[in-house]
Amino acid sequence: MAATVGAAGFSVGRPAAAAADATAAQTRAADLTPGTLREYWLSVESFDHNTVPNGADLMTGTTFTAAQTSYTALGYRAWSPNWGALLPGDDQIGPNTGLPAPTLRAQVGDTVRVHLRNNDTHYRFPHSIHVHGLRYEPTDDGAFIAGGPYDPASAILVGGSHTYTYTAVASSVGTWPYHDHSRSQSLVPPAPQPAAAGDHGEDDAPGMAGVAELGTQLGLAGVIAVTGPETAPVDVENVLVLIDMYHSNIPALAQDLDLFNGAAFLNNTPTFTAQVGQRVRWRIVALGKELHVFHIHGHRWWDGIRWVDAQVLGPSTSLTIEYIEDSPGDWLYHCHVTDHMMGGMVGRYHVDPARPIIPPTG
Ligand SMILES: [Cu+2]
């Protein structure tokens, strides 16, 4: 989804110092920064999802039934305060379909507060949010290793919630992933029964069994975009999350798939658009266990050292690509690892010519 982000294009909340609820976390955050408070109300949702809605890989002519490419996905979705109503998609958070997760935005000096509720009624797994790039206390790390089996930040049980507090510091500027980092799980064999009331799982075997970050593979991943005083405003911003899914982990899928924003193959993955003359930014993150090479046909950009048209990224790393659009036409963007292209990581990027300048009449 293309988003228009201007210099003043962020929706902002109230100043941190003016927040009404004086919790310990808030006091801590307010001590760290006097900036703006950006508050997000997110949930983990479980829902049926077809990764190849047009049923075809147009590159090879392979066709799929919906059953072969569908599974029960997990996604973070954004709500109005106190989880009142699901938010419509917009240029700031993205489509809010859950795939990808809502884009979280901040400027240096801001406090970011994320309230997360676990509505995973299908798998009934505990879930969490773990962010990269922002500053936070260990108690808001959200990684299972950081606490006990049911640490409130690292394993939010179904129906439960947790509030995470982060700060955007000078070294936070850039593009970062956030994702589920709760305890490992497995769909093969069937997941353990959900804890009964009063059973906090102390006698379970949390250990290393199962698939690390299975929740992330099922869809719980998104982008954090942090801007600073030097960040240029752009006309178009494309957000892309790269995740690979494995039949061995998710038996509902007939084969392994390599996904852009939860979709595989041309015309299922996002079709991005821009116009000659526009400043374009891509914010891309990868999660999982694969190395990727992100390539845009017909374009080059400065990577800080040299001009490139393809860049490597690996698990939990990101790319921020910027250029002034000068190449009209229909282009491919794709992962250049051939197995990943064949598994679905290919998309369309359409660039319109510059609008003609119409001379004033009269
Ligand atoms: Cu790849």
Side-chain angles (χ1 to χ4, degrees):
M1 170 168 179
T4 301
V5 180
F10 295 106
S11 57
V12 297
R14 57 212 164 130
D21 53 332
T23 62
Q26 182 186 39
T27 303
R28 183 181 68 233
D31 289 343
L32 285 172
T33 171
T36 298
L37 174 65
R38 297 173 188 271
E39 205 158 15
Y40 292 93
W41 298 82
L42 303 186
S43 66
V44 171
E45 300 291 330
S46 49
F47 50 92
D48 293 334
H49 175 64
N50 185 354
T51 58
V52 190
N54 72 1
D57 171 3
L58 299 177
M59 200 163 57
T60 64
T62 306
T63 58
F64 304 95
T65 65
Q68 290 176 309
T69 55
S70 297
Y71 73 110
T72 301
L74 295 174
Y76 295 117
R77 300 188 73 188
W79 298 69
S80 63
N82 298 304
W83 298 284
L86 274 172
L87 295 177
D90 64 28
D91 289 344
Q92 297 298 299
I93 62 171
N96 202 24
T97 57
L99 300 167
T103 299
L104 308 181
R105 296 181 185 274
Q107 299 186 57
V108 170
D110 290 346
T111 297
V112 179
R113 184 160 299 152
V114 178
H115 310 270
L116 178 66
R117 172 180 281 176
N118 183 350
N119 292 341
D120 172 13
T121 54
H122 180 83
Y123 297 110
R124 304 188 67 82
F125 292 153
H127 294 292
S128 73
I129 281 180
H130 169 70
V131 302
H132 292 227
L134 301 172
R135 176 175 172 151
Y136 54 85
E137 300 292 323
T139 46
D140 280 340
D141 187 64
F144 179 67
I145 196 170
Y150 287 107
D151 172 86
S154 67
I156 304 167
L157 301 181
V158 179
S161 64
H162 181 76
T163 296
Y164 301 87
T165 302
Y166 316 107
T167 307
V169 295
S171 55
S172 300
V173 172
T175 300
W176 309 90
Y178 75 98
H179 60 99
D180 186 14
H181 208 318
S182 194
R183 60 186 292 182
S184 57
Q185 300 288 349
S186 180
L187 305 181
V188 189
Q193 292 299 306
D199 174 3
H200 288 253
E202 291 87 345
D203 52 357
D204 290 350
M208 294 300 291
V211 177
E213 299 179 9
L214 180 64
T216 300
Q217 190 178 147
L218 291 166
L220 293 173
V223 165
I224 299 169
V226 181
T227 52
E230 309 300 319
T231 307
V234 294
D235 302 300
V236 173
E237 191 172 275
N238 301 328
V239 169
L240 210 52
V241 176
L242 280 59
I243 288 179
D244 312 279
M245 301 178 67
Y246 307 94
H247 166 76
S248 58
N249 295 158
I250 305 170
L253 296 172
Q255 64 170 71
D256 294 354
L257 290 167
D258 305 282
L259 307 172
F260 285 148
N261 292 358
F265 306 117
L266 209 63
N267 297 348
N268 300 306
T269 53
T271 294
F272 295 113
T273 59
Q275 185 180 315
V276 168
Q278 286 186 316
R279 189 177 186 95
V280 177
R281 178 183 292 137
W282 298 66
R283 293 190 183 276
I284 305 168
V285 301
L287 287 155
K289 60 181 181 181
E290 309 273 350
L291 288 176
H292 304 283
V293 179
F294 186 75
H295 175 49
I296 309 173
H297 284 216
H299 291 74
R300 299 141 310 284
W301 58 92
W302 185 252
D303 74 348
I305 298 173
R306 57 185 177 166
W307 293 96
V308 297
D309 71 358
Q311 269 184 286
V312 175
L313 74 171
S316 89
T317 66
S318 67
L319 292 176
T320 307
I321 294 170
E322 291 184 19
Y323 52 82
I324 304 295
E325 184 54 74
D326 65 355
S327 302
D330 263 316
W331 303 104
L332 288 179
Y333 69 90
H334 64 95
C335 175
H336 225 301
V337 176
T338 49
D339 278 6
H340 298 170
M341 282 183 72
M342 298 299 284
M345 280 187 173
V346 58
R348 189 187 300 278
Y349 175 46
H350 177 78
V351 180
D352 283 322
R355 288 199 186 96
I357 297 171
I358 301 171
T361 56

